[in-house]
Amino acid sequence: MGVVGGGQLARMMQQPAIALGVQLRLLADSPDDSAAQVIADTVIGDYRDLDTLRRFAQGCSVVTFDHEHVPSDHLRALVDDGVVVRPGPDALVFAQDKGLMRQRLASLGAPLPRWQPVSSVGDVRAFADECGYPLVLKATRGGYDGKGVWLVSNEHEAGEVLSHDQVPGFIAEELVEYTRELSAMVARSPSGQAVAYPVVETVQRDGICHEVYAPAPGIAEDHAVAAQQIALRIAGELDVIGVMAVELFDTVTGVLVNELAMRPHNSGHWGIDGAVTSQFENHLRAVLDLPLGDPSATAPCTVMVNLLGGDLDDLYRAYLHCMARDPSMKFHMYGKAVKPGRKVGHVTAVGADLSDLLERTRHAVAYLRGDIDE
Amino acid sequence: MGVVGGGQLARMMQQPAIALGVQLRLLADSPDDSAAQVIADTVIGDYRDLDTLRRFAQGCSVVTFDHEHVPSDHLRALVDDGVVVRPGPDALVFAQDKGLMRQRLASLGAPLPRWQPVSSVGDVRAFADECGYPLVLKATRGGYDGKGVWLVSNEHEAGEVLSHDQVPGFIAEELVEYTRELSAMVARSPSGQAVAYPVVETVQRDGICHEVYAPAPGIAEDHAVAAQQIALRIAGELDVIGVMAVELFDTVTGVLVNELAMRPHNSGHWGIDGAVTSQFENHLRAVLDLPLGDPSATAPCTVMVNLLGGDLDDLYRAYLHCMARDPSMKFHMYGKAVKPGRKVGHVTAVGADLSDLLERTRHAVAYLRGDIDE
């Protein structure tokens, strides 16, 4: 099974691959990449080069992804070569292009914030007449972790954003008054089997996921069911293969779809320690058309907190402290050098008492970052 | 961290190594070895060759093992070179030599079956005068999975066993009337921290572990505590670093020590899915002198059943069937070609109802072996 991209998502696929007896082949930029450190069959090369992709795919029974940046044309060329690519380019394009995604989801009747493709200040003005300022501008392609998303308060700011000449297109979106953000993760296999994970609450800062609570505490049952049904419907209609995360806004009147990710997603990391079958295992199972595993939580509550690079660049002593303080904390380190704001790991605690889990996970991350020293 | 030996134990160390951010370097016989398939930094070479071991150990902050077959003299030479070897040769020798182990445990006052070193039929006769036939003869070194153990009913059979000229020494042991076999797993770090796992019941056939129930169902509390205390005491007195399994006989009058293994052990595989911290993770933590993780079970009951090679040599279709039948079953495949009787994987089920878990795990293994087809 080929995996394009050497980040932490590919790294975390290797754990269930070892259990399931699945041999991974990795295409990474460098032997130091997070996943390249832990996968024996690693090819170093550039995923933007079609010949490199073709050579890499030879001998793989299926090719999947750590990220969504492989050009659609390259994926279509691989498919034309007879390579099995999952998810396929016709599905993946909806995770790659926010404009196409919203167009398609609107046609399916999925609940969305009001939105409009925009290419000029005049377009933004027309949209603002309807929805008001502040509003959100998004690059249709290439954004992640808050990059490619701008909150603008007036035409002048909108004009500055639209002047980014490396962005292929923009959409404008109303600023939704949400009570919290949710993520609905599903896995779907080529034979059409699909499973839905418990809907989780995600806490984002500056567009970057910081914390995940599984399941979303106190969520209205009808909102949770709606989120799962929307995710299952999208996966089916778009013929998604593998796992997909649907990020949603929870509002007083219901849920609205925000973004799609057609790969393992930060909002699903909790399941490595807190679900019977992790998103990584179900991604492998789905992509290989194996029967899917049980997505149920194993405990009443799981909290995952991301470790973003902070002041400490040598984690070792802090790591010792945190392990000694909390023997049941689960640590996940990605083998990446610490840079401020970079996702270098996450911690997870599983139990029954949300406030206890929050206190412990937040303390561990603050200590590992160097924000606190006691 | 260097690991000598490319079997499934080293393979299963890679899963927590990925999580903890520990970079493994493997010494394997062949690139096709179970662990070599999944560890990026693999050196191919013969662990019986001291120069190979020396080159392998360069740059490792610590060296540990997948098996106990590395010659003691080589380990001592590495230690003299300044290599950190854990567990060290002075501890490991007691797992390598059953005669030395019994001698040392007797001196510690650990409860043992009656035993005696023997080198002639006359020695066996003298021992049999005391304990009667049938009795057990064991090779002091080199045995595993039932190899190197013989049940003999008379002097003639004893003479045949003693004529094995490749065996460096023998002990005779009384045939214990036990109610069941137990295993007490502990982890111990260089700083002296130690944790004890729940005592499990193991079911052996022909000296090979078939099933493990965690915790041992209905075990008398005092027997379980005694088993844990014996294991912790042995680990402390012998200065064991890493995990150690103490295999015991449970009898109506108490527990008796049978064997020691100073490495992850088949009787601890249940904990990958059923404990907060698996034996593999605690082995890494201990060997690296990191604080140890919580060894508690996450559920009332976990059943692990080994998959020994059977009639089926292509597992794929059976694997599909078993995954579809039981979405919460955990599969562990070692990447080894199927040969009759060879350990090629295991399955684990976690829950509350022992009989349900037994039915499901036994069915899965019987199906994967080809013993049943429905």
Side-chain angles (χ1 to χ4, degrees):
Chain A
M1 174 168 166
V3 183
V4 177
Q8 63 263 28
L9 301 178
R11 179 184 177 99
M12 290 186 275
M13 287 181 205
Q14 171 73 328
Q15 291 165 302
I18 290 171
L20 295 176
V22 172
Q23 189 67 29
L24 297 187
R25 171 181 293 174
L26 183 74
L27 180 62
D29 291 334
S30 144
D32 298 327
D33 281 2
S34 179
Q37 297 168 25
V38 302
I39 294 177
D41 185 4
T42 291
V43 176
I44 304 304
D46 185 346
Y47 65 83
R48 289 161 296 200
D49 179 65
L50 181 56
D51 286 339
T52 300
L53 282 171
R54 282 186 157 135
R55 278 194 303 273
F56 170 73
Q58 274 175 16
C60 290
S61 55
V62 55
V63 170
T64 190
F65 310 96
D66 166 84
H67 58 67
E68 289 147 347
H69 307 321
V70 182
S72 299
D73 291 346
H74 288 5
L75 296 179
R76 293 215 168 80
L78 290 180
V79 171
D80 289 343
D81 290 350
V83 176
V84 180
V85 176
R86 289 176 178 160
D90 293 336
L92 207 56
V93 70
F94 297 109
Q96 293 173 321
D97 188 306
K98 294 180 204 282
L100 290 179
M101 182 268 277
R102 279 164 181 71
Q103 213 164 21
R104 181 67 190 270
L105 293 194
S107 78
L108 298 178
L112 292 169
R114 285 177 292 178
W115 72 286
Q116 192 67 48
V118 292
S119 56
S120 68
V121 173
D123 291 345
V124 175
R125 184 183 309 136
F127 185 74
D129 286 346
E130 192 187 334
C131 298
Y133 285 106
L135 55 78
V136 180
L137 291 179
K138 293 183 175 177
T140 51
R141 283 179 172 261
Y144 68 96
D145 277 357
K147 295 183 180 72
V149 177
W150 300 268
L151 184 69
V152 298
S153 299
N154 52 51
E155 281 180 27
H156 175 71
E157 287 178 17
E160 280 190 356
V161 169
L162 294 178
S163 69
H164 285 88
D165 55 6
Q166 290 180 343
V167 176
F170 292 92
I171 60 167
E173 200 168 80
E174 68 170 319
L175 185 65
V176 175
E177 280 189 35
Y178 56 84
T179 51
R180 58 174 153 188
E181 293 187 71
L182 302 173
S183 177
M185 168 81 61
V186 293
R188 184 174 175 276
S189 63
S191 56
Q193 191 196 6
V195 296
Y197 282 85
V199 174
V200 303
E201 177 172 344
T202 66
V203 178
Q204 320 266 336
R205 283 179 219 141
D206 303 325
I208 298 176
C209 177
H210 275 247
E211 300 182 345
V212 173
Y213 320 140
I219 188 173
E221 179 69 14
D222 57 335
H223 288 212
V225 169
Q228 288 182 316
Q229 286 179 338
I230 289 165
L232 288 169
R233 174 125 190 268
I234 293 172
E237 295 279 355
L238 270 49
D239 197 19
V240 175
I241 308 300
V243 293
M244 177 182 66
V246 181
E247 296 181 90
L248 306 108
F249 297 119
D250 197 13
T251 77
V252 288
T253 54
V255 295
L256 298 174
V257 175
N258 180 21
E259 303 290 349
L260 301 185
M262 289 183 197
R263 51 168 171 73
H265 186 255
N266 203 159
S267 64
H269 292 357
W270 68 275
I272 300 173
D273 303 300
V276 176
T277 312
S278 76
Q279 63 168 344
F280 298 99
E281 177 167 344
N282 262 338
H283 186 70
L284 299 187
R285 288 185 183 219
V287 163
L288 291 166
D289 205 11
L290 295 168
L292 300 177
D294 180 357
S296 306
T298 56
C301 192
T302 301
V303 171
M304 191 262 2
V305 180
N306 272 342
L307 174 59
L308 304 177
D311 292 336
L312 275 185
D313 54 359
D314 178 10
L315 295 176
Y316 184 70
R317 294 202 66 79
Y319 202 27
L320 285 184
H321 171 91
C322 292
M323 283 189 178
R325 185 181 194 264
D326 198 336
S328 59
M329 180 78 64
K330 303 311 293 181
F331 297 90
H332 298 267
M333 297 293 174
Y334 304 156
K336 293 159 74 172
V338 173
K339 292 183 195 169
R342 186 186 207 193
K343 288 178 185 172
V344 295
H346 72 267
V347 304
T348 307
V350 181
D353 179 348
L354 176 64
S355 62
D356 169 64
L357 302 180
L358 281 173
E359 188 281 321
R360 287 162 50 204
T361 47
R362 286 174 178 169
H363 178 278
V365 163
Y367 202 99
L368 288 168
R369 283 171 52 84
D371 297 345
I372 58 173
D373 61 1
E374 61 181 347
Chain B
M1 172 169 168
V3 183
V4 177
Q8 63 263 27
L9 301 179
R11 179 184 178 99
M12 289 186 274
M13 286 181 205
Q14 171 73 328
Q15 291 164 302
I18 290 171
L20 295 175
V22 172
Q23 189 66 30
L24 297 187
R25 172 181 291 173
L26 183 74
L27 180 62
D29 291 334
S30 143
D32 298 327
D33 280 3
S34 178
Q37 298 167 26
V38 301
I39 294 177
D41 185 3
T42 292
V43 176
I44 305 304
D46 186 346
Y47 64 84
R48 288 160 297 199
D49 178 67
L50 181 56
D51 287 338
T52 300
L53 282 172
R54 282 185 158 136
R55 279 195 303 274
F56 171 73
Q58 275 175 14
C60 291
S61 54
V62 55
V63 170
T64 189
F65 310 96
D66 165 84
H67 58 66
E68 289 147 348
H69 307 320
V70 182
S72 299
D73 291 347
H74 289 3
L75 296 179
R76 294 213 167 81
L78 290 179
V79 171
D80 290 343
D81 291 350
V83 176
V84 180
V85 175
R86 290 175 177 161
D90 294 336
L92 206 56
V93 69
F94 297 109
Q96 294 173 319
D97 188 307
K98 293 179 203 282
L100 289 178
M101 183 269 278
R102 279 164 181 71
Q103 213 164 19
R104 181 67 191 271
L105 293 194
S107 78
L108 298 178
L112 293 169
R114 285 177 291 178
W115 71 285
Q116 192 66 48
V118 292
S119 57
S120 68
V121 173
D123 291 344
V124 176
R125 184 184 309 135
F127 184 75
D129 286 347
E130 193 188 331
C131 298
Y133 284 107
L135 55 78
V136 179
L137 292 178
K138 293 182 176 178
T140 53
R141 282 178 172 263
Y144 67 99
D145 278 356
K147 295 184 180 72
V149 177
W150 300 268
L151 184 68
V152 298
S153 299
N154 52 51
E155 281 180 26
H156 174 72
E157 288 178 15
E160 280 189 356
V161 169
L162 295 177
S163 70
H164 284 89
D165 55 8
Q166 291 180 341
V167 176
F170 292 91
I171 59 167
E173 199 169 81
E174 68 171 319
L175 184 65
V176 174
E177 280 189 36
Y178 55 85
T179 51
R180 58 174 153 189
E181 293 187 71
L182 302 174
S183 178
M185 167 80 62
V186 293
R188 184 176 175 276
S189 63
S191 55
Q193 190 195 7
V195 295
Y197 282 84
V199 174
V200 303
E201 177 171 344
T202 66
V203 178
Q204 320 265 337
R205 283 179 219 139
D206 304 324
I208 298 176
C209 177
H210 276 247
E211 300 181 346
V212 173
Y213 319 140
I219 187 172
E221 180 68 14
D222 58 334
H223 288 212
V225 169
Q228 287 182 317
Q229 287 180 337
I230 289 165
L232 288 169
R233 173 124 192 268
I234 293 172
E237 296 279 356
L238 270 48
D239 198 19
V240 175
I241 308 301
V243 293
M244 176 181 67
V246 180
E247 297 181 270
L248 306 108
F249 298 118
D250 197 15
T251 77
V252 288
T253 55
V255 296
L256 298 173
V257 175
N258 181 21
E259 303 291 351
L260 301 185
M262 289 182 197
R263 50 166 171 75
H265 186 255
N266 204 158
S267 65
H269 292 357
W270 68 274
I272 300 173
D273 303 299
V276 176
T277 312
S278 77
Q279 62 167 344
F280 298 100
E281 177 169 345
N282 262 337
H283 186 70
L284 298 188
R285 288 186 182 218
V287 162
L288 291 165
D289 204 11
L290 295 168
L292 300 177
D294 180 357
S296 305
T298 57
C301 190
T302 301
V303 171
M304 191 261 3
V305 179
N306 273 340
L307 175 60
L308 305 177
D311 291 336
L312 275 185
D313 53 359
D314 178 9
L315 295 176
Y316 184 70
R317 292 202 68 78
Y319 202 26
L320 285 184
H321 171 91
C322 293
M323 283 189 178
R325 185 180 193 266
D326 198 336
S328 60
M329 179 79 64
K330 303 310 293 181
F331 297 90
H332 298 267
M333 296 293 172
Y334 303 155
K336 293 159 75 172
V338 174
K339 291 182 195 170
R342 187 186 206 193
K343 289 178 183 171
V344 295
H346 73 267
V347 304
T348 307
V350 180
D353 179 348
L354 177 63
S355 61
D356 169 64
L357 302 180
L358 280 173
E359 188 280 322
R360 287 162 49 205
T361 48
R362 286 174 179 168
H363 179 278
V365 163
Y367 202 98
L368 288 167
R369 283 171 50 85
D371 296 346
I372 58 173
D373 61 2
E374 61 181 349

